[in-house]
Amino acid sequence: MSTPAGVRDRRMWPLYAAGFTTAFGAHAVAANLGAFSDDAVNSLLTLGILLALYDGAEVLLKPVFGTIADRIGARPVLIAGLVGFAIASGLYAVADSPRWLWVARLGQGAAASAFSPAASALVARLNPAAKHGRAFGSYGFYKSIGYTLGPLLGGALVWLGGFRLLFAVMTVLALVAAGWALLAVPALPPLPRTRQTVIDLARRIADPGVPAPDRCAGGATAALSVGVGFLPVTGAADGLGTIATGAAVSVLAATAAIVQPRAGRALDNGRLSTRTGLTVGLLVTAAGLACAALPGVAAVLGAALLIGAGTGLITPLGFAALAASTEQARLGQTMGTAELGRELGDAGGPLLVAGVATAATLGYGYAALAIVLAAGPVIGLLVRKRPSRPS
């Protein structure tokens, strides 16, 4: 007997809140680091490292917490992660010191590595396979709302009360999401599964045959992180103020929010295939990064629109494809591995762009990441067009 849609929707709302929390927390800080924290960020390379710190913790821990979620259930991992996020945010709100900013971001990343894959696994388990596109599109929509409000609302909070106020708001937000999940998310029992060792998991992650959605999600997140962190720098160089640069970043996130549910519905209705959607998404994202390398305010806005559209297309298609190809007993592990690909991109993208920008200019940094993203689809198209040799 299927679960009524109304009941299913009520159970999904805390998951949407969790997605919003991690997105808002990540981008509210990231988009304001360069403009408001001169004592903590004094170079593009330092900015890149700080942007990567949050995601570096997630790279190491998401597969681990995903596996734990499969073993003990996703709900307790979700709630514990949200509480941990609140504690890490509260540390900086109390200390209010640049040194504690590094500690808080590392702690937030570790906590997000627990509740993010758990939330993704619950999205898959609480919805039938035929509606995974819509489910992940909606989940991505609320994450994108967090990305949208993060730069603007985060900038306003920092302007009103500094980073201390911003981290205090994130503390409250995470605690509310944890309490909501405790009340509304059902305790789904772990499913039986075959034994797998840590070595097996390491081989799976390192396997060059890891599904394309993992790699596409990583590339999309790299572009998203670079857009949030570096488009304000480009905008400032073009004469834009902090409010205008925050608005440009919010355009990026708002575009992604609009595209994701529509992409998910198109996938469920058979109007869009996973392969086509991922290919187009990567090429559009690469075009947005190339646009960011051009001078002028119009280029900044065009980059925000294209990066938002490309990443919005990739995210729900990639996660729906992964959920469809995974046994439910290993959804947490699969989502953790998928999130690992995203966080490698989230950490690697800023580092790549910052490194190239330090050696040359920021425009060359954008161009380098654009080439990386476009290379996969272009090579794939060339390989498919090459005629096969007769046996």
Side-chain angles (χ1 to χ4, degrees):
M1 183 176 179
S2 61
T3 304
V7 174
R8 186 166 59 243
D9 289 345
R10 288 195 295 272
R11 298 185 303 182
M12 289 290 291
W13 280 106
L15 305 181
Y16 298 154
F20 176 90
T21 298
T22 184
F24 176 83
H27 283 202
V29 176
N32 291 286
L33 280 173
F36 291 99
S37 190
D38 293 336
D39 52 350
V41 181
N42 49 34
S43 73
L44 283 176
L45 187 58
T46 304
L47 174 59
I49 294 173
L50 252 180
L51 289 171
L53 185 64
Y54 180 100
D55 307 296
E58 295 185 291
V59 166
L60 296 175
L61 296 175
K62 275 190 173 179
V64 176
F65 281 117
T67 302
I68 293 173
D70 287 334
R71 183 167 299 164
I72 68 173
R75 180 175 178 268
V77 176
L78 171 74
I79 295 170
L82 286 166
V83 171
F85 192 91
I87 293 172
S89 302
L91 284 175
Y92 182 83
V94 172
D96 193 23
S97 166
R99 287 177 296 179
W100 281 96
L101 177 62
W102 296 77
V103 175
R105 290 302 277 172
L106 186 63
Q108 285 180 328
S113 70
F115 73 78
S116 188
S120 297
L122 285 165
V123 169
R125 285 197 65 182
L126 291 175
N127 290 274
K131 293 186 177 180
H132 276 171
R134 290 178 174 84
F136 281 106
S138 296
Y139 179 68
F141 170 81
Y142 287 100
K143 287 191 74 170
S144 293
I145 293 298
Y147 292 139
T148 303
L149 292 181
L152 287 176
L153 184 55
L157 290 170
V158 171
W159 179 75
L160 287 172
F163 268 69
R164 189 175 195 176
L165 177 60
L166 174 58
F167 275 78
V169 169
M170 287 191 288
T171 301
V172 174
L173 183 62
L175 288 175
V176 169
W180 199 356
L182 183 65
L183 294 174
V185 175
L188 300 177
L191 298 173
R193 60 200 183 104
T194 56
R195 183 177 180 272
Q196 177 170 280
T197 66
V198 174
I199 294 176
D200 293 330
L201 176 60
R203 287 172 178 168
R204 180 181 175 187
I205 295 171
D207 187 355
V210 167
D214 281 15
R215 299 192 293 272
C216 293
T221 310
L224 186 64
S225 182
V226 165
V228 170
F230 291 101
L231 280 182
V233 177
T234 300
D238 289 329
L240 297 177
T242 55
I243 294 178
T245 55
V249 173
S250 292
V251 166
L252 186 160
T255 303
I258 292 170
V259 170
Q260 286 194 62
R262 289 166 172 77
R265 286 195 297 269
L267 177 67
D268 288 343
N269 295 335
R271 293 183 285 110
L272 180 67
S273 70
T274 301
R275 180 189 293 272
T276 299
L278 294 178
T279 299
V280 171
L282 282 174
L283 293 176
V284 170
T285 305
L289 289 164
C291 190
L294 301 175
V297 175
V300 173
L301 181 59
L305 287 169
L306 289 172
I307 293 172
T311 57
L313 188 58
I314 291 168
T315 303
L317 302 186
F319 275 93
L322 288 169
S325 63
T326 303
E327 59 173 311
Q328 287 209 341
R330 294 197 182 277
L331 276 172
Q333 185 184 87
T334 294
M335 294 306 169
T337 304
E339 293 279 359
L340 169 63
R342 285 168 58 88
E343 300 313 329
L344 285 172
D346 216 347
L351 289 176
L352 171 64
V353 172
V356 174
T358 301
T361 66
L362 187 53
Y364 282 104
Y366 289 134
L369 183 56
I371 291 171
V372 171
L373 294 186
V378 170
I379 292 173
L381 289 172
L382 292 175
V383 170
R384 286 200 299 274
K385 288 182 178 180
R386 182 180 300 172
S388 59
R389 294 181 180 179
S391 57

